[in-house]
Amino acid sequence: MTTTTLAIDTSCDETSCAVVRNTTVLSNVLPSQIEFHKKYGGVVPSVARLAHEERIDGVVLEALKRAKITMQDIDQVAVTIGPGLAIALEVGIKKAKALATEYKKPLIPVNHMEGHLLSVFAKGNGPKSVPIDLESVLFPALGVLVSGKHTELVLVHDFGEYEVIGETLDDACGEAFDKCGRMLGLGYPAGPVVAEFAKQQRKEYKVTDERRHQSYIVKTESGLELPVAMANSPELNFSYSGLKTAFKQLIEKISGHDLTVEAQLEGDIKGLTKEKIYELSVLFEEAAFRPIEIKVKKALEKYDIKEIWLGGGVSANTNLRSKLRKIAKAHGITFRVPYTMKLNTDNAAMIGTVVNINLLRETGKLEILTSGFEEVDRVPGLGF
Ligand code: KG4
Ligand code: ZN
């Protein structure tokens, strides 16, 4: 069976449209809105909405053009209905409804997090690209979803059967990357810049772990320390707000200045040398990833997990990938991660992939909703 989905995702600041045939991505258009949000130091929902409205028609046309097909060749239209910024999501939903009505196609609502989870199965259209045999996938799998808004461990009993076994109690890991990067004066979005500094400088600044009476810390050889949150608790949840506070205090201690919002927006952090920014980036990344390593190991002890799937914007990070790959290898289990960086951060190809996998696996069983979204409030187990 072959099924082709045109998918739209406008959950945050990417206006994305993709065409996906089974698990093969025929096109995945995602123009960045970075320029629009840069001067505010973060995503402004009303600005995101305007940019989505301006671009959505062109993005859809471009996705069809790159896939070399027309709306007539599409079997269904899929759209992200959450989680995300409500006023941004609305733009994609309106466009998807209009397309489905005009071309008389079924309209399928998709959960954004299920998109990140199944993004590991999307494949390219090149001659060397081999789709994954879905029948060979072993369950339960552990989904590790690390993005700008979520940090979740999902026990995947089967495609479509999800159980969140751990999640952040406050901020998300990607958000901590962005906020702490901003504290270092690295602009917007600062997360990938911190990651790049950490990657380049990791060999220069050795980080060690220390388990103390009631806490767990990571530290550099020069004595800079950051806490590893919830390391000692038996539960599988995360917390990143304490790391942000500790990071701010550490910068203020090193620099001898209060860290003001103005200084962060201007990227002018007094009293911080380039070397200290590098050292802090390396240390921060370890403090941000250590809880994920610890909780993934705990989940492996607790459940008979057969595969690890890493998705979400932070899965672009090569350090996190290699840490989880190592854990999977030590347990003799499969590790999956999106095959290209364009599938790590928000994109519509992952949304089309969700629909096609569910259709391929359960042809006839998937309920295709053609009217309204009011009745669809959640994907069982994934939250919303
Ligand atoms: O999944 P995503 O595109 O959006 C949400 O659904 O939240 O994730 C975006 C997040 C941002 O916080 C960004 O800083 C982070 O992913 N990110 C990274 C890297 N690339 C993107 N964090 C760490 N290392 C990276 N290489
Ligand atoms: Zn996302």
Side-chain angles (χ1 to χ4, degrees), residues 182-254:
R182 203 167 79 174
M183 290 180 206
L184 293 174
L186 301 178
Y188 167 82
V193 184
V194 174
E196 189 53 35
F197 283 175
K199 187 175 171 183
Q200 288 167 10
Q201 301 290 325
R202 198 165 299 123
K203 285 201 181 78
E204 303 295 322
Y205 301 98
K206 196 165 169 277
V207 176
T208 50
D209 294 38
E210 199 175 303
R211 206 178 270 278
R212 292 188 178 155
H213 181 51
Q214 285 204 317
S215 62
Y216 189 122
I217 59 138
V218 282
K219 63 177 186 185
T220 58
E221 280 169 330
S222 79
L224 301 186
E225 291 180 14
L226 283 173
V228 175
M230 308 196 52
N232 297 327
S233 88
E235 52 174 312
L236 299 173
N237 290 329
F238 302 92
S239 165
Y240 281 94
S241 70
L243 175 58
K244 274 185 353 194
T245 311
F247 198 69
K248 181 166 185 273
Q249 287 166 350
L250 185 56
I251 292 174
E252 290 179 335
K253 193 170 142 198
I254 296 169

Side-chain angles (χ1 to χ4, degrees), residues 43 93 228 277:
V43 176
I93 294 171
V228 175
I277 291 177

Side-chain angles (χ1 to χ4, degrees), residues 9 11-12 83 112-113 115-116 146-150 311-313 344-347 350:
D9 183 295
S11 56
C12 190
H112 183 79
M113 297 315 288
H116 279 307
V146 196
S147 75
K149 288 282 167 288
H150 292 78
N344 294 121
T345 44
D346 293 346
N347 67 89
M350 66 186 193

Side-chain angles (χ1 to χ4, degrees), residues 26-48:
L26 302 184
S27 65
N28 188 20
V29 181
L30 44 142
S32 168
Q33 287 189 8
I34 286 175
E35 286 312 312
F36 292 89
H37 302 285
K38 212 171 191 157
K39 61 174 177 281
Y40 306 106
V43 176
V44 180
S46 56
V47 174

Side-chain angles (χ1 to χ4, degrees), residues 9-66:
D9 183 295
T10 58
S11 56
C12 190
D13 59 339
E14 309 284 354
T15 313
S16 182
C17 181
V19 178
V20 187
R21 178 163 291 155
N22 290 2
T23 53
T24 301
V25 180
L26 302 184
S27 65
N28 188 20
V29 181
L30 44 142
S32 168
Q33 287 189 8
I34 286 175
E35 286 312 312
F36 292 89
H37 302 285
K38 212 171 191 157
K39 61 174 177 281
Y40 306 106
V43 176
V44 180
S46 56
V47 174
R49 182 193 178 96
L50 281 176
H52 286 317
E53 280 173 339
E54 218 169 76
R55 291 164 169 212
I56 189 78
D57 292 347
V59 166
V60 170
L61 289 176
E62 184 63 21
L64 287 165
K65 190 174 147 201
R66 286 193 201 170

Side-chain angles (χ1 to χ4, degrees), residues 229-288:
M230 308 196 52
N232 297 327
S233 88
E235 52 174 312
L236 299 173
N237 290 329
F238 302 92
S239 165
Y240 281 94
S241 70
L243 175 58
K244 274 185 353 194
T245 311
F247 198 69
K248 181 166 185 273
Q249 287 166 350
L250 185 56
I251 292 174
E252 290 179 335
K253 193 170 142 198
I254 296 169
S255 69
H257 291 89
D258 283 348
L259 188 57
T260 63
V261 175
E262 293 75 33
Q264 292 180 49
L265 282 177
E266 284 161 20
D268 177 24
I269 314 298
K270 288 189 181 57
L272 269 196
T273 61
K274 194 103 193 132
E275 287 68 31
K276 275 292 168 233
I277 291 177
Y278 289 154
E279 185 176 353
L280 283 164
S281 296
V282 173
L283 180 65
F284 166 81
E285 192 170 276
E286 293 306 316

